[in-house]
Structures are given as structure tokens and as C-alpha cells.
């Protein structure tokens, strides 16, 4: 194998796929980028068996062939080169990287061990990549970090209304839902993408410049950026996502409207005095929210936030991390806290943004 490729394009390609290549004890080839060179095409591939990426890059082909080398090693060895073009050639199962000033040799791993990456068959729909990525980034943090229930460690994607997609994640203690416009998209069925894979799909959508085509099958989904030569496939999670609409209260005891930044400021103060359970107390009084935390080894703090209160007074304890994490995803300056009563869920939303809602359960006293 021998090719001449653009240095900036190769670096960009390796930056795109190197995060997918991971060290694997029994299958070392998974830490590699796999070069597949034919007479008229140069394809780079990477996979961790959960997520796969292939990228076609332009270049001059002098000799066809294949080779697999550690992706991070190749990226680190070329990213500081200053030449516009570099030569890659294979000699005795070693990849030689040649430029005017620098020559590097990288040992390969047998390429025949690299898993086959197949393109999915089926009807595709064109996505608005930025909004698709936004839906994932807004919800993925609420997914469970445990592998006991894979459906809770996923981002759930469904179509509840025409010309939109709705994303949701939950770890059973909290739930985040975000709806984004997707004009003309018709989704035949909902699907579950593992959280890490979903975050990577969002990252790739943000890095590229054209809108991809989404294909969903029973066990996999794929997004293909035809104009940029990028194709990404992800494993899907089998199982059913909780019917969370049943969990969202139909009636509320108290509605509290306040400035988002005022609440964030209060949480920064109470974070100093959180106990090992990250417990913070919200007490609703006349036109104010009293935010407090106590650590028996450190001390106690109380901070009063001005608010418009509609309903009864009450006091609840929450995991502060669960309250502060969704706030960065709310674009409105003012937010509404919908309290459904003692021991029942709190729903947080923006004052005017109807595309997002966040549900969180209180802590036991």
C-alpha cells in the first residue's frame, strides 16, 4: 500500500474516529484505524463493536492494500507535521509515514482481524444535524450510568408529533425530555441508542458540515454524510423505555417562577455545605425560595431567592446535582418549578420554552 494524502484532511479524519478506537485485551485491532485502499478510493475505518465509523478521504493511490495501526499513535505522530501532503506506505507490515522533514514507522496489527463494517439497508430520512445533536446533548446526562438496565442507560428517540423528534433519558430518579424540529422527517418506530454512542453521534454531527441521512433497523442505526464521505453505525438497545408520561403529574400544588441564574447562584453557595448525599433543601414561602444545605462536619447555609409563588407552602429535599445539571440546557432566563406535593415529583421547565421538561424525584428525609 502506498498513498499520498492531504495532511490536514488526514488529521481531521483521525480526530473524528480516534475516540472510537479503544484498547481491547482480547481484540487488539479495535484500537486501530484500518486503511482500505483500492485503485480509486481511500477508506479509513474504526470500531469498538458498539460504534463504527468509516471515512473516505481523497488522495493519490500508488499501490493498493490494507493495514491496521493504532489510531492514537498515528494521530499523535502526524498532528504536528507542517507539510501539506504526506506519504503513507507499507513495508514488511510496518506503516511508513514520510514527509519532507520527518519519517516515522508504526508497527501494524494483523488487518484480517478487523471486523467487517456493513452499510445498513432501508429507507433513510435526512436529519437537521445540529438539532439532532442538540436533542442528544440536552438529554444524555440524565441516562443511568449502570449497566443493569441497558434501556435506562440510553437516549430514547421517538416521533410524538409531525416534523419533530423527541429525545428522552432517565435513570429512574430523574428524566429529561427535549423536542426538536425535524422538518419532513417520518420515523417509523422509536429506538434506543446507548448513551456513549449517542454522545459520539452528536459530536460527529457537530464536527461535520452537511446534514446526514438516518437509517434505522431492528438492531442498528446509521447516519451517513454522503457529501463528506462519512458513515457511522451504532448498536441499538433492545427493550422498552419506561412509559414516562404516566410519571408526569397531571396536577400541581405549587408553581414557583424565578430567575435561573439566581437559583444557580444559590446552589453555588450551598455546594460548600453539602453532605455525602448531596442533599439540598428547597422551602417555598411567601414570594421566596429558601435554599439550604447542612454538613455536620462543616456547617450550614441558608440563601433566599426571590420568586413568584402560586400555591401552598412546602419543603422538599433533593440531590443538588440533579437540580443544577438541567439548568444549563434551559435557554430561558426565567424558569418554573412545578411542585406536585410532598414526596412527589418536581417538574422544571422554562417560562416560554415548551420543548423541554425535566422531572426529578425528591429525597427521603
Amino acid at each position: 500500500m502506498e498513498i499520498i494524502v492531504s495532511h490536514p484532511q488526514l488529521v481531521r479524519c483521525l480526530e473524528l474516529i480516534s475516540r472510537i478506537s479503544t484498547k481491547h485485551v482480547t481484540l487488539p485491532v479495535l484500537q486501530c484505524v484500518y486503511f482500505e485502499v483500492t485503485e480509486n478510493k481511500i477508506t479509513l475505518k474504526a470500531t469498538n463493536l458498539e460504534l463504527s465509523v468509516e471515512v473516505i478521504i481523497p488522495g493519490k493511490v500508488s499501490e493498493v492494500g490494507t493495514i491496521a495501526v493504532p489510531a492514537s499513535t498515528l494521530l499523535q505522530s502526524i498532528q504536528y507535521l507542517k507539510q501539506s501532503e504526506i506519504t503513507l506506505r507499507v513495508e514488511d507490515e510496518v506503516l511508513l509515514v514520510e514527509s519532507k522533514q520527518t519519517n516515522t514507522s508504526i508497527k501494524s496489527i494483523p488487518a484480517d482481524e478487523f471486523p467487517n463494517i456493513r452499510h445498513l439497508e432501508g429507507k433513510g430520512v435526512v436529519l437537521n444535524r445540529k438539532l439532532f445533536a442538540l436533542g442528544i446533548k440536552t438529554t444524555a446526562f440524565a441516562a443511568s450510568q449502570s449497566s443493569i438496565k441497558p434501556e435506562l442507560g440510553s437516549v430514547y428517540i421517538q416521533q410524538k408529533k409531525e416534523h419533530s423528534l423527541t429525545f428522552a433519558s432517565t435513570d429512574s430518579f430523574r428524566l429529561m425530555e427535549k423536542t426538536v424540529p425535524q422538518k419532513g422527517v417520518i420515523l417509523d418506530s422509536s429506538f434506543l441508542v446507548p448513551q456513549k454512542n449517542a454522545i459520539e453521534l452528536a459530536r460527529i454531527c457537530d464536527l461535520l458540515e452537511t446534514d446526514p441521512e438516518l437509517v434505522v433497523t431492528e438492531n442498528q442505526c446509521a447516519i451517513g454524510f454522503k457529501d463528506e464521505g462519512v458513515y457511522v453505525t451504532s448498536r441499538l438497545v433492545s427493550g422498552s423505555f419506561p412509559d414516562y408520561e404516566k410519571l408526569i403529574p397531571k396536577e400541581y400544588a405549587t408553581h414557583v417562577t424565578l430567575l435561573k441564574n439566581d437559583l444557580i447562584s444559590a446552589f453555588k453557595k450551598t455546594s460548600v455545605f453539602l453532605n455525602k448525599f448531596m442533599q439540598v433543601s428547597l422551602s417555598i414561602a411567601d414570594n421566596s425560595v429558601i435554599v439550604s444545605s447542612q454538613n455536620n462536619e462543616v456547617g450550614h447555609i441558608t440563601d433566599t431567592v426571590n420568586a413568584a409563588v402560586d400555591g401552598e407552602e412546602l419543603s422538599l429535599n433533593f440531590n443538588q446535582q440533579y437540580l443544577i445539571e438541567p439548568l444549563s440546557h434551559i435557554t430561558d432566563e426565567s424558569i418554573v418549578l412545578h411542585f406536585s406535593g410532598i414526596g412527589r415529583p418536581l417538574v422544571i421547565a422554562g417560562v416560554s420554552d415548551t420543548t423541554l421538561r425535566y422531572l426529578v424525584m425528591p429525597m427521603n428525609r
Side-chain angles (χ1 to χ4, degrees), residues 68-356:
V69 294
S72 61
T73 302
L74 178 58
L75 176 59
Q76 291 171 24
S77 66
I78 70 167
Q79 60 185 347
Y80 299 116
L81 297 179
K82 297 179 180 179
Q83 281 71 33
S84 60
E85 291 185 333
I86 56 176
T87 300
L88 306 177
R89 62 186 181 89
V90 177
E91 192 174 286
D92 297 328
E93 300 302 317
V94 173
L95 179 66
L96 303 177
V97 183
E98 301 171 344
S99 65
K100 290 182 179 180
Q101 295 177 317
T102 307
N103 293 319
T104 306
S105 62
I106 302 173
K107 293 183 178 180
S108 67
I109 291 176
D112 56 2
E113 296 180 4
F114 193 84
N116 185 31
I117 300 175
R118 296 181 180 180
H119 283 217
L120 304 186
E121 296 181 358
K123 184 180 179 181
V125 293
V126 177
L127 298 172
N128 180 309
R129 73 189 188 287
K130 290 292 186 183
L131 293 173
F132 184 76
L134 175 64
I136 291 173
K137 291 185 294 184
T138 302
T139 58
F141 75 90
S144 173
Q145 301 304 307
S146 170
S147 59
I148 296 175
K149 292 184 176 181
E151 63 273 17
L152 298 186
S154 306
V155 175
Y156 179 58
I157 303 174
Q158 62 176 325
Q159 187 163 40
K160 297 173 71 174
K161 297 179 180 179
E162 287 185 342
H163 305 299
S164 67
L165 289 178
T166 298
F167 300 74
S169 290
T170 182
D171 60 4
S172 77
F173 299 104
R174 56 179 174 169
L175 178 139
M176 176 66 109
E177 181 193 65
K178 175 69 175 178
T179 299
V180 300
Q182 285 290 349
K183 190 174 181 180
V185 169
I186 299 175
L187 201 61
D188 292 333
S189 60
S190 57
F191 58 101
L192 285 162
V193 185
Q195 182 206 37
K196 290 182 179 179
N197 292 15
I199 292 171
E200 202 59 33
L201 291 178
R203 183 183 73 91
I204 292 171
C205 283
D206 281 337
L207 285 174
L208 299 181
E209 297 175 355
T210 58
D211 288 335
E213 184 178 72
L214 169 71
V215 177
V216 181
T217 64
E218 184 178 356
N219 301 311
Q220 289 182 300
C221 73
I223 52 173
F225 301 81
K226 187 176 180 181
D227 294 341
E228 296 179 80
V230 178
Y231 190 82
V232 189
T233 61
S234 169
R235 177 183 70 85
L236 297 182
V237 173
S238 59
S240 300
F241 194 74
D243 184 6
Y244 62 87
E245 290 291 346
K246 294 180 179 179
L247 305 176
I248 297 174
K250 301 296 187 291
E251 297 179 350
Y252 297 98
T254 307
H255 305 275
V256 178
T257 304
L258 70 168
L259 291 173
K260 179 181 69 174
N261 287 338
D262 286 353
L263 188 59
I264 291 173
S265 177
F267 286 151
K268 288 179 179 178
K269 298 170 189 174
T270 54
S271 65
V272 179
F273 298 93
L274 294 173
N275 61 21
K276 64 180 180 180
F277 302 110
M278 305 284 288
Q279 182 173 305
V280 66
S281 298
L282 299 185
S283 298
I284 312 305
D286 185 28
N287 293 327
S288 66
V289 178
I290 300 170
V291 185
S292 61
S293 64
Q294 179 173 333
N295 186 315
N296 292 334
E297 296 179 359
V298 181
H300 173 269
I301 187 172
T302 298
D303 192 65
T304 301
V305 179
N306 293 328
V309 177
D310 177 17
E312 62 189 56
E313 296 184 357
L314 48 78
S315 182
L316 291 170
N317 300 320
F318 294 91
N319 181 319
Q320 179 166 298
Q321 181 182 347
Y322 284 5
L323 290 181
I324 201 167
E325 279 188 322
L327 299 182
S328 62
H329 299 287
I330 298 175
T331 55
D332 289 349
E333 292 185 359
S334 297
I335 59 173
V336 184
L337 310 180
H338 302 284
F339 293 90
S340 55
I342 301 297
R344 305 195 67 229
L346 162 67
V347 175
I348 304 175
V351 166
S352 59
D353 184 5
T354 60
T355 67
L356 179 150

Side-chain angles (χ1 to χ4, degrees), residues 1 21-36 45 47 65-74 90-95 105-115:
M1 184 194 94
S21 305
T22 55
K23 288 188 177 181
H24 198 282
V25 176
T26 58
L27 203 57
V29 77
L30 295 185
Q31 65 182 303
C32 291
V33 55
Y34 174 73
F35 285 82
E36 184 179 67
K45 302 180 180 181
T47 183
T66 60
I67 193 169
V69 294
S72 61
T73 302
L74 178 58
V90 177
E91 192 174 286
D92 297 328
E93 300 302 317
V94 173
L95 179 66
S105 62
I106 302 173
K107 293 183 178 180
S108 67
I109 291 176
D112 56 2
E113 296 180 4
F114 193 84

